[in-house]
Amino acid sequence: MKRTICAGLLVSALIPGIAGAQKKSISQRVDSVLKLMTLDEKIGQMNQYNGDWEATGPITKDGDKQDQIRRGRLGSMLNVTGVEHTRQLQEMAMQSRLKIPLLFGQDIIHGYRTTFPIPLAEAASWDLEAIQRAARVAGKEAAAAGVHWTFAPMVDIARDPRWGRVMEGAGEDPYLGSCIARARVMGFQGKKLGDVDAVMACAKHFAAYGAAIGGRDYNSVDMSLRTLWEIYLPPFRAAADAGAATFMNSFNDLNGIPATGNAYLQREVLKGKWKFTGFVVSDWGSVGEMIPHGYVKDNKEAALAAVTAGCDMDMESRSYITSLAALVREGKVKAELIDEAVRRILTKKFELGLFDDPFRFCDVQRERQQWNNPDNLAISEDMARKSIVLLKNDRQLLPLSKQTKTIALIGPLMKSVRENLGFWSYTWADDSARIISPWTGIQSKVGNGTRLLYARGCGITDTSTAGFAEAVEVARQADVVVMNIGEAPDMTGEAKSRSSIHLPGVQEELVSAIVATGKPVVVLISAGRPTVFNYTADHANAILYTWWLGTEAGKAIADVLFGDYNPSGKLPISFPRTEGQIPIYYNHFSTGRPAKNDSDVNYVSAYTDLPNDPRYPFGFGLSYSRFVYSDLRLSAPSFHAGGSLTATITVTNAGGVDGRETVQWYIRDLVGSVVRPVKELKGFEPVFLKAGESKRVNFTIDVEKLRFYNDRLQHIYEPGEFRLFVGGDSHNVKEIPFSLIGAVSE
Ligand code: BGC
């Protein structure tokens, strides 16, 4: 203790910027710290390690990390949480010469203690306020546990459901993806960085990681710059504009240059064109992975390539800590480059208020208050209900009556508990008691008069049908059957690519055996990606896509099953009929030989053995209400640049229950100097309609909605003919033509 106080006095004397001069701007304070730093201390700030040791126990797998903290050789740690643990490590940093506080980063992807639906599921809500609220809670809980920085949101566009990380993003669309990126950044970062309930966001993985060839994780990406700018970059731009404090680069190479060593992406676009003032962290080991990529020969060359390209912090590859100093001494890396990176990192530490109080995120009482916080759980349940997508509801089988006499609950996931959290979630000792399974949710929803029967039927990947007889027997005794099938939660996530996305094992055979009983069958499908389930789609009476819904999964499912919540989710990604259609996305080009319809296969761009259309299109999702769109009008048939048009449509709830519809507006540019997609989402609006109620919904078209990247990557609009589409999904739409008069934009 005595030594700590002495160190404090010493540093106060050394660094007026740190200890006293509150009135100085952050940039002046950063400068005064930088002036005091040795080269090694600067490089230390650019170094991040995983916290894979017990702080109180013996040290370490690869060198003495605690000693490195004390010597100022480490700027940040990941995977260290909890007030006690972060405090211990921060105390070590306070023993370093300059007492520069550590940053603690963590993958708070969809919650910390309270787990929310996986990000792809949340995206299905199309509810930006709810998504922002969920990120807000996740940020608060993490900040209360000593975390300063989440490695989220992942804003990678994904057009390939084989890619396991499709679960982490917002799906296939750049516009929806941008709106959600903004909402998540704002949620995590709260009112402002520096508030003790806010964490730094990190937009990742920059860039185009979601376009891995064949959907195989970490694979190469080869795409035109036009596709990069039009499809993959917009959510990153939105995150930067929303003030995301940090970016993470990515594992993939992009057109032959690894993203981590890619100066075009990081220096020219992000820090240059977009004027991003935060810092860039590498992905885990991605600096060193440029060696197996075949881009550099050793860690030293890797460090040179990464730092030159604008990667400010090295996560876990140790290339910076081992090689940067020599590179500077040899004149290969300019000292200013190091200063620039360190300045960016220190600025964030100042903004977080860590120089004023390194322990401000270490408050036991706040940690306790956010633990099992009922408000957070309620927000998670709300988010979960909004994420469920109703894919089928023949003869309005759903919602079920709470007075149903006997319900058979069948399937390998019906009693699942921890599975409901999905990938990127944290395990706590009391998980089995706190997470609500579908079984428990349904049980607490129905009255004493309802008998619930249960049979597992089979496991997720089983090849045996031995459990079918019992399941069929149980189904026969019931008035209605609810089945819960799907993927295992670790079939999606990082490094979880799959060549087959059919429901695994004999699960669909189980559905078939149950359907054969003639009982009405509702199927809940839990998964982290679009899956293929053609038998179920054709034969089950009702289908709810329930993804992985988090801590309150069972409650949310029961709310929807029994009509306490009218489902409103819409798919944020197309669901293929089979893997052969992949990549499949609604905003494709027309081609020179477009197929007229599903049976048109004669020398047109079509598969001869299956339709081009997906099984379920982007934006699709039913409701217990029935929404009717009518009377689409435009304020005028054309407009000039500088002006605008207003489109209006009447949406009517023609069903018997109140409900929420997401009205989706799409545009097609009929003729362009480069070919344009058959449809592009340009706006959406939630409308809540009471049964029988109608509302007029408006949409404004101006030239900003018509811009695209031409072959010289200019973001222009062109005069000509367009079509406006509106509907409850990307397929089933009303349309009206309009035109833009005048000249091509500058
Ligand atoms: C992932 C990142 C993650 C990092 C730290 C990497 O393997 O690609 O998304 O943030 O690990 O856990």
Side-chain angles (χ1 to χ4, degrees):
M1 176 59 110
K2 209 170 175 184
R3 255 178 47 206
T4 311
I5 291 167
C6 285
L9 289 173
L10 176 66
V11 169
S12 303
L14 273 172
I15 313 171
I18 292 180
Q22 296 298 332
K23 284 191 205 99
K24 282 190 174 176
S25 70
I26 284 184
S27 118
Q28 287 168 323
R29 296 177 80 187
V30 169
D31 281 342
S32 41
V33 179
L34 259 179
K35 273 190 206 128
L36 297 165
M37 295 174 82
T38 62
L39 179 62
D40 281 348
E41 283 166 337
K42 288 177 184 171
I43 293 166
Q45 288 303 305
M46 299 166 70
N47 184 29
Q48 186 189 52
Y49 288 155
N50 186 45
D52 51 6
W53 81 85
E54 284 300 317
T56 49
I59 331 261
T60 93
K61 284 188 187 149
D62 59 340
D64 185 343
K65 287 182 187 169
Q66 299 191 16
D67 180 60
Q68 293 190 56
I69 295 175
R70 292 192 185 94
R71 287 192 295 118
R73 304 286 282 140
L74 196 58
S76 173
M77 307 220 53
L78 72 152
N79 291 331
V80 180
T81 64
V83 161
E84 195 189 328
H85 201 178
T86 52
R87 178 178 282 278
Q88 280 172 345
L89 294 169
Q90 201 65 290
E91 272 165 1
M92 287 174 206
M94 290 306 107
Q95 292 161 29
S96 66
R97 188 178 76 91
L98 294 177
K99 296 179 59 164
I100 298 177
L102 284 170
L103 270 182
F104 297 109
Q106 184 81 9
D107 291 289
I108 309 295
I109 307 296
H110 55 118
Y112 179 62
R113 169 69 176 172
T114 305
T115 307
F116 290 85
I118 56 167
L120 186 64
E122 288 190 358
S125 73
W126 295 50
D127 186 331
L128 302 176
E129 281 169 27
I131 292 172
Q132 183 170 338
R133 209 162 33 239
R136 185 87 278 277
V137 169
K140 266 188 197 171
E141 288 189 4
V147 174
H148 307 133
W149 177 19
T150 174
F151 303 126
M154 186 191 99
V155 304
D156 296 310
I157 294 295
R159 290 172 154 185
D160 191 330
R162 292 171 298 181
W163 190 49
R165 298 194 82 166
V166 71
M167 55 82 56
E168 257 182 89
E172 76 187 35
D173 185 68
Y175 179 78
L176 178 63
S178 299
C179 295
I180 291 177
R182 194 175 305 118
R184 290 197 165 126
V185 168
M186 285 162 58
F188 287 129
Q189 297 194 166
K191 284 205 191 76
K192 64 170 172 44
L193 280 191
D195 289 349
V196 285
D197 64 356
V199 289
M200 294 199 295
C202 181
K204 70 186 190 186
H205 306 83
F206 196 61
Y209 181 44
I213 294 171
R216 211 180 67 214
D217 209 0
Y218 315 127
N219 204 2
S220 293
V221 173
D222 198 76
M223 68 167 61
S224 73
L225 287 183
R226 226 159 57 67
T227 301
L228 178 73
W229 277 90
E230 201 142 296
I231 305 294
Y232 288 86
L233 290 187
F236 286 102
R237 179 65 197 259
D241 288 349
T246 69
F247 266 52
M248 183 184 290
N249 56 37
S250 55
F251 290 123
N252 56 287
D253 73 270
L254 174 64
N255 302 336
I257 314 274
T260 303
N262 198 313
Y264 172 69
L265 286 175
Q266 297 169 98
R267 283 225 184 269
E268 197 176 322
V269 175
L270 179 62
K271 293 177 175 177
K273 279 192 184 22
W274 297 354
K275 301 185 169 43
F276 171 70
T277 56
F279 70 86
V280 179
V281 64
S282 79
D283 203 345
W284 182 299
S286 68
V287 177
E289 286 179 20
M290 289 194 284
I291 305 168
H293 266 293
Y295 188 65
V296 293
K297 80 168 186 301
D298 55 22
N299 281 90
K300 191 167 173 188
E301 281 192 4
L304 174 62
V307 81
T308 309
C311 172
D312 302 304
M313 187 180 277
D314 173 5
M315 179 192 286
E316 269 293 328
S317 97
R318 284 137 179 87
S319 305
Y320 282 9
I321 199 73
T322 54
S323 307
L324 274 185
L327 286 165
V328 173
R329 277 193 297 273
E330 290 161 18
K332 291 187 179 136
V333 170
K334 289 211 177 74
E336 297 83 69
L337 213 58
I338 304 290
D339 282 358
E340 189 232 299
V342 177
R343 185 173 280 116
R344 286 172 178 271
I345 294 165
L346 293 182
T347 300
K348 292 302 161 202
K349 293 188 175 183
F350 271 109
E351 285 174 12
L352 286 168
L354 294 175
F355 276 99
D356 299 315
D357 176 5
F359 302 104
R360 58 202 303 267
F361 289 77
C362 299
D363 179 330
V364 178
Q365 224 176 328
R366 204 164 45 232
E367 186 176 44
R368 224 175 281 135
Q369 195 255 331
Q370 288 300 327
W371 195 254
N372 297 341
N373 183 311
D375 296 343
N376 299 356
L377 290 170
I379 291 172
S380 176
E381 182 185 350
D382 177 59
M383 187 74 254
R385 302 194 304 189
K386 290 175 166 157
S387 304
I388 295 173
V389 185
L390 177 64
L391 294 178
K392 185 174 183 185
N393 196 16
D394 273 1
R395 277 174 279 136
Q396 296 185 302
L397 174 59
L398 292 176
L400 301 177
S401 158
K402 289 175 198 161
Q403 270 73 53
T404 309
K405 287 233 157 45
T406 308
I407 307 177
L409 300 176
I410 294 174
L413 286 157
M414 187 53 78
K415 287 198 172 176
S416 62
V417 180
R418 176 131 220 311
E419 288 86 339
N420 292 291
L421 304 193
F423 201 84
W424 290 118
S425 51
Y426 295 96
T427 301
W428 309 104
D430 59 348
D431 274 354
S432 56
R434 76 189 187 104
I435 299 165
I436 301 173
S437 69
W439 166 263
T440 313
I442 293 168
Q443 220 177 20
S444 4
K445 184 67 78 181
V446 295
N448 291 337
T450 301
R451 200 160 61 107
L452 295 180
L453 307 175
Y454 169 75
R456 185 158 171 268
C458 63
I460 293 169
T461 53
D462 279 0
T463 48
S464 158
T465 56
F468 282 22
E470 185 201 1
V472 166
E473 185 43 40
V474 158
R476 285 213 178 99
Q477 296 172 44
D479 301 302
V480 61
V481 182
V482 180
M483 302 183 67
N484 192 182
I485 57 176
E487 291 186 310
D490 62 359
M491 287 179 177
T492 45
E494 186 175 348
K496 301 294 184 289
S497 298
R498 289 175 71 79
S499 62
S500 165
I501 59 166
H502 278 68
L503 288 183
V506 290
Q507 294 182 96
E508 283 219 277
E509 288 171 41
L510 178 63
V511 175
S512 152
I514 302 301
V515 165
T517 64
K519 300 288 178 174
V521 179
V522 181
V523 178
L524 313 173
I525 300 178
S526 305
R529 60 155 61 85
T531 51
V532 172
F533 45 91
N534 290 318
Y535 179 86
T536 306
D538 290 337
H539 295 97
N541 305 89
I543 304 172
L544 289 166
Y545 214 75
T546 55
W547 318 97
W548 300 115
L549 292 173
T551 320
E552 306 299 286
K555 269 197 197 168
I557 286 170
D559 286 346
V560 169
L561 274 177
F562 294 93
D564 288 340
Y565 185 82
N566 183 357
S568 54
K570 303 276 188 181
L571 298 177
I573 184 164
S574 307
F575 274 42
R577 294 168 190 274
T578 190
E579 294 83 2
Q581 289 184 314
I582 297 170
I584 186 165
Y585 43 92
Y586 82 94
N587 47 357
H588 57 84
F589 298 140
S590 163
T591 79
R593 294 189 181 192
K596 285 188 211 67
N597 53 50
D598 283 351
S599 44
D600 179 18
V601 294
N602 201 18
Y603 290 98
V604 292
S605 180
Y607 297 105
T608 53
D609 57 349
L610 87 168
N612 280 6
D613 286 348
R615 181 86 224 195
Y616 299 105
F618 174 79
F620 178 78
L622 302 170
S623 158
Y624 299 153
S625 313
R626 193 168 59 83
F627 298 106
V628 178
Y629 289 71
S630 61
D631 195 18
L632 171 60
R633 284 193 220 167
L634 280 173
S635 54
S638 60
F639 73 111
H640 288 86
S644 65
L645 285 182
T646 304
T648 47
I649 185 132
T650 301
V651 185
T652 303
N653 181 350
V657 286
D658 305 348
R660 177 192 157 106
E661 168 73 329
T662 301
V663 178
Q664 302 162 37
W665 298 93
Y666 299 86
I667 289 178
R668 175 170 184 182
D669 184 345
L670 295 189
V671 178
S673 57
V674 291
V675 297
R676 308 293 306 126
V678 295
K679 256 177 218 147
E680 289 175 284
L681 182 71
K682 293 291 177 175
F684 60 91
E685 189 177 330
V687 261
F688 187 82
L689 293 169
K690 295 206 171 308
E693 192 186 2
S694 293
K695 268 186 195 160
R696 285 297 279 171
V697 181
N698 300 332
F699 176 66
T700 304
I701 305 169
D702 58 20
V703 289
E704 294 313 311
K705 299 221 166 58
L706 308 182
R707 284 187 189 274
F708 63 94
Y709 289 93
N710 68 7
D711 57 346
R712 280 174 293 150
L713 293 183
Q714 293 161 318
H715 200 211
I716 62 159
Y717 55 82
E718 292 173 344
E721 306 293 315
F722 297 82
R723 272 181 189 277
L724 174 70
F725 308 88
V726 57
D729 64 68
S730 61
H731 201 72
N732 203 348
V733 286
K734 304 269 179 217
E735 60 178 278
I736 192 166
F738 70 91
S739 50
L740 172 66
I741 300 167
V744 177
S745 67
E746 294 294 293

